[in-house]
PDB file of all heavy atoms in Angstrom:
ATOM      1  N   ASP A 288     -42.011  44.587  41.225  1.00 95.00           N
ATOM      2  CA  ASP A 288     -42.965  44.188  42.245  1.00 95.00           C
ATOM      3  C   ASP A 288     -42.264  43.847  43.354  1.00 95.00           C
ATOM      4  O   ASP A 288     -41.756  42.571  43.563  1.00 95.00           O
ATOM      5  CB  ASP A 288     -43.830  43.096  41.629  1.00 95.00           C
ATOM      6  CG  ASP A 288     -44.961  42.551  42.526  1.00 95.00           C
ATOM      7  OD1 ASP A 288     -45.072  43.292  43.640  1.00 95.00           O
ATOM      8  OD2 ASP A 288     -45.672  41.684  42.155  1.00 95.00           O
ATOM      9  N   LYS A 289     -41.967  44.694  44.298  1.00 96.00           N
ATOM     10  CA  LYS A 289     -41.161  44.427  45.496  1.00 96.00           C
ATOM     11  C   LYS A 289     -42.120  44.377  46.866  1.00 96.00           C
ATOM     12  O   LYS A 289     -43.099  45.114  47.021  1.00 96.00           O
ATOM     13  CB  LYS A 289     -40.254  45.700  45.696  1.00 96.00           C
ATOM     14  CG  LYS A 289     -39.120  45.830  44.836  1.00 96.00           C
ATOM     15  CD  LYS A 289     -38.213  47.010  45.182  1.00 96.00           C
ATOM     16  CE  LYS A 289     -37.136  47.122  44.085  1.00 96.00           C
ATOM     17  NZ  LYS A 289     -36.166  48.223  44.428  1.00 96.00           N
ATOM     18  N   ARG A 290     -41.852  43.203  47.514  1.00 98.00           N
ATOM     19  CA  ARG A 290     -42.672  42.880  48.692  1.00 98.00           C
ATOM     20  C   ARG A 290     -41.885  42.343  49.892  1.00 98.00           C
ATOM     21  O   ARG A 290     -40.710  41.865  49.671  1.00 98.00           O
ATOM     22  CB  ARG A 290     -43.828  41.921  48.281  1.00 98.00           C
ATOM     23  CG  ARG A 290     -44.510  42.237  47.066  1.00 98.00           C
ATOM     24  CD  ARG A 290     -45.656  41.211  46.826  1.00 98.00           C
ATOM     25  NE  ARG A 290     -46.179  41.211  45.419  1.00 98.00           N
ATOM     26  CZ  ARG A 290     -47.282  40.523  44.978  1.00 98.00           C
ATOM     27  NH1 ARG A 290     -47.924  39.853  45.966  1.00 98.00           N
ATOM     28  NH2 ARG A 290     -47.560  40.470  43.705  1.00 98.00           N
ATOM     29  N   LEU A 292     -42.067  39.421  52.949  1.00 98.00           N
ATOM     30  CA  LEU A 292     -42.765  38.160  53.654  1.00 98.00           C
ATOM     31  C   LEU A 292     -42.529  38.134  55.080  1.00 98.00           C
ATOM     32  O   LEU A 292     -41.350  37.944  55.596  1.00 98.00           O
ATOM     33  CB  LEU A 292     -42.224  36.919  52.831  1.00 98.00           C
ATOM     34  CG  LEU A 292     -42.402  36.878  51.363  1.00 98.00           C
ATOM     35  CD1 LEU A 292     -40.953  37.227  50.720  1.00 98.00           C
ATOM     36  CD2 LEU A 292     -42.608  35.327  50.905  1.00 98.00           C
ATOM     37  N   ARG A 301     -38.639  37.072  56.242  1.00 98.00           N
ATOM     38  CA  ARG A 301     -37.584  36.268  55.570  1.00 98.00           C
ATOM     39  C   ARG A 301     -36.506  37.345  54.965  1.00 98.00           C
ATOM     40  O   ARG A 301     -36.890  38.546  54.784  1.00 98.00           O
ATOM     41  CB  ARG A 301     -38.132  35.557  54.236  1.00 98.00           C
ATOM     42  CG  ARG A 301     -39.221  34.558  54.711  1.00 98.00           C
ATOM     43  CD  ARG A 301     -39.131  33.217  53.778  1.00 98.00           C
ATOM     44  NE  ARG A 301     -37.798  32.679  53.831  1.00 98.00           N
ATOM     45  CZ  ARG A 301     -37.475  31.539  54.319  1.00 98.00           C
ATOM     46  NH1 ARG A 301     -38.456  30.749  54.964  1.00 98.00           N
ATOM     47  NH2 ARG A 301     -36.289  30.962  54.182  1.00 98.00           N
ATOM     48  N   THR A 302     -35.239  36.813  54.887  1.00 98.00           N
ATOM     49  CA  THR A 302     -34.174  37.843  54.602  1.00 98.00           C
ATOM     50  C   THR A 302     -33.436  37.236  53.412  1.00 98.00           C
ATOM     51  O   THR A 302     -33.856  36.232  52.766  1.00 98.00           O
ATOM     52  CB  THR A 302     -33.212  37.890  55.779  1.00 98.00           C
ATOM     53  OG1 THR A 302     -32.465  36.668  55.920  1.00 98.00           O
ATOM     54  CG2 THR A 302     -34.021  38.206  56.977  1.00 98.00           C
ATOM     55  N   CYS A 317     -34.798  42.449  53.533  1.00 98.00           N
ATOM     56  CA  CYS A 317     -36.020  41.692  53.701  1.00 98.00           C
ATOM     57  C   CYS A 317     -36.944  42.000  52.585  1.00 98.00           C
ATOM     58  O   CYS A 317     -38.126  41.809  52.577  1.00 98.00           O
ATOM     59  CB  CYS A 317     -36.680  42.207  55.040  1.00 98.00           C
ATOM     60  SG  CYS A 317     -35.733  41.864  56.422  1.00 98.00           S
ATOM     61  N   THR A 318     -36.385  42.646  51.479  1.00 98.00           N
ATOM     62  CA  THR A 318     -37.264  42.885  50.390  1.00 98.00           C
ATOM     63  C   THR A 318     -36.986  41.890  49.270  1.00 98.00           C
ATOM     64  O   THR A 318     -35.921  41.376  48.930  1.00 98.00           O
ATOM     65  CB  THR A 318     -36.840  44.282  49.735  1.00 98.00           C
ATOM     66  OG1 THR A 318     -37.028  45.253  50.715  1.00 98.00           O
ATOM     67  CG2 THR A 318     -37.683  44.583  48.519  1.00 98.00           C
ATOM     68  N   PHE A 319     -37.998  41.359  48.612  1.00 98.00           N
ATOM     69  CA  PHE A 319     -38.076  40.488  47.544  1.00 98.00           C
ATOM     70  C   PHE A 319     -38.704  41.025  46.286  1.00 98.00           C
ATOM     71  O   PHE A 319     -39.842  41.612  46.441  1.00 98.00           O
ATOM     72  CB  PHE A 319     -38.706  39.135  47.940  1.00 98.00           C
ATOM     73  CG  PHE A 319     -37.944  38.236  48.960  1.00 98.00           C
ATOM     74  CD1 PHE A 319     -37.954  38.622  50.317  1.00 98.00           C
ATOM     75  CD2 PHE A 319     -37.072  37.251  48.464  1.00 98.00           C
ATOM     76  CE1 PHE A 319     -37.132  37.818  51.207  1.00 98.00           C
ATOM     77  CE2 PHE A 319     -36.337  36.543  49.363  1.00 98.00           C
ATOM     78  CZ  PHE A 319     -36.319  36.809  50.731  1.00 98.00           C
ATOM     79  N   ILE A 320     -38.150  40.781  45.161  1.00 97.00           N
ATOM     80  CA  ILE A 320     -38.745  41.115  43.935  1.00 97.00           C
ATOM     81  C   ILE A 320     -39.535  39.874  43.415  1.00 97.00           C
ATOM     82  O   ILE A 320     -38.979  38.754  43.220  1.00 97.00           O
ATOM     83  CB  ILE A 320     -37.765  41.507  42.911  1.00 97.00           C
ATOM     84  CG1 ILE A 320     -36.861  42.644  43.380  1.00 97.00           C
ATOM     85  CG2 ILE A 320     -38.253  41.779  41.520  1.00 97.00           C
ATOM     86  CD1 ILE A 320     -35.517  42.912  42.641  1.00 97.00           C
ATOM     87  N   PHE A 321     -40.850  40.077  43.261  1.00 97.00           N
ATOM     88  CA  PHE A 321     -41.757  39.018  42.713  1.00 97.00           C
ATOM     89  C   PHE A 321     -41.773  39.075  41.275  1.00 97.00           C
ATOM     90  O   PHE A 321     -42.318  39.839  40.643  1.00 97.00           O
ATOM     91  CB  PHE A 321     -43.140  39.200  43.401  1.00 97.00           C
ATOM     92  CG  PHE A 321     -43.193  38.781  44.796  1.00 97.00           C
ATOM     93  CD1 PHE A 321     -42.410  39.328  45.749  1.00 97.00           C
ATOM     94  CD2 PHE A 321     -44.171  37.938  45.161  1.00 97.00           C
ATOM     95  CE1 PHE A 321     -42.571  38.941  47.057  1.00 97.00           C
ATOM     96  CE2 PHE A 321     -44.371  37.598  46.440  1.00 97.00           C
ATOM     97  CZ  PHE A 321     -43.529  38.016  47.506  1.00 97.00           C
ATOM     98  N   LEU A 334     -39.101  34.353  43.651  1.00 98.00           N
ATOM     99  CA  LEU A 334     -38.879  35.356  44.677  1.00 98.00           C
ATOM    100  C   LEU A 334     -37.458  35.631  44.786  1.00 98.00           C
ATOM    101  O   LEU A 334     -36.718  34.874  45.374  1.00 98.00           O
ATOM    102  CB  LEU A 334     -39.487  34.796  46.115  1.00 98.00           C
ATOM    103  CG  LEU A 334     -40.899  34.278  45.969  1.00 98.00           C
ATOM    104  CD1 LEU A 334     -41.392  33.881  47.487  1.00 98.00           C
ATOM    105  CD2 LEU A 334     -41.753  35.292  45.495  1.00 98.00           C
ATOM    106  N   ARG A 335     -37.023  36.793  44.200  1.00 97.00           N
ATOM    107  CA  ARG A 335     -35.553  37.221  44.259  1.00 97.00           C
ATOM    108  C   ARG A 335     -35.368  38.219  45.218  1.00 97.00           C
ATOM    109  O   ARG A 335     -35.959  39.372  45.283  1.00 97.00           O
ATOM    110  CB  ARG A 335     -35.364  37.723  42.792  1.00 97.00           C
ATOM    111  CG  ARG A 335     -33.959  38.322  42.601  1.00 97.00           C
ATOM    112  CD  ARG A 335     -33.519  38.572  41.209  1.00 97.00           C
ATOM    113  NE  ARG A 335     -34.291  39.345  40.367  1.00 97.00           N
ATOM    114  CZ  ARG A 335     -34.148  40.595  40.001  1.00 97.00           C
ATOM    115  NH1 ARG A 335     -33.063  41.264  40.707  1.00 97.00           N
ATOM    116  NH2 ARG A 335     -35.003  41.242  39.324  1.00 97.00           N
ATOM    117  N   ASN A 336     -34.382  37.814  46.043  1.00 97.00           N
ATOM    118  CA  ASN A 336     -34.070  38.778  47.179  1.00 97.00           C
ATOM    119  C   ASN A 336     -33.436  40.159  46.564  1.00 97.00           C
ATOM    120  O   ASN A 336     -32.538  39.888  45.662  1.00 97.00           O
ATOM    121  CB  ASN A 336     -33.152  38.246  48.127  1.00 97.00           C
ATOM    122  CG  ASN A 336     -32.751  39.114  49.339  1.00 97.00           C
ATOM    123  OD1 ASN A 336     -31.777  39.810  49.395  1.00 97.00           O
ATOM    124  ND2 ASN A 336     -33.699  39.241  50.342  1.00 97.00           N
ATOM    125  N   LEU A 343     -35.345  32.352  46.430  1.00 98.00           N
ATOM    126  CA  LEU A 343     -35.816  31.307  47.461  1.00 98.00           C
ATOM    127  C   LEU A 343     -35.984  29.935  46.711  1.00 98.00           C
ATOM    128  O   LEU A 343     -36.634  29.890  45.604  1.00 98.00           O
ATOM    129  CB  LEU A 343     -37.204  31.693  48.013  1.00 98.00           C
ATOM    130  CG  LEU A 343     -37.192  32.801  49.104  1.00 98.00           C
ATOM    131  CD1 LEU A 343     -38.543  32.882  49.700  1.00 98.00           C
ATOM    132  CD2 LEU A 343     -36.160  32.312  50.136  1.00 98.00           C
TER     133      LEU A 343
END
Side-chain angles (χ1 to χ4, degrees):
D288 185 358
K289 295 182 178 181
R290 313 187 201 183
L292 296 97
R301 294 215 65 106
T302 72
C317 304
T318 301
F319 286 82
I320 298 167
F321 280 55
L334 308 181
R335 173 162 59 98
N336 183 264
L343 284 185

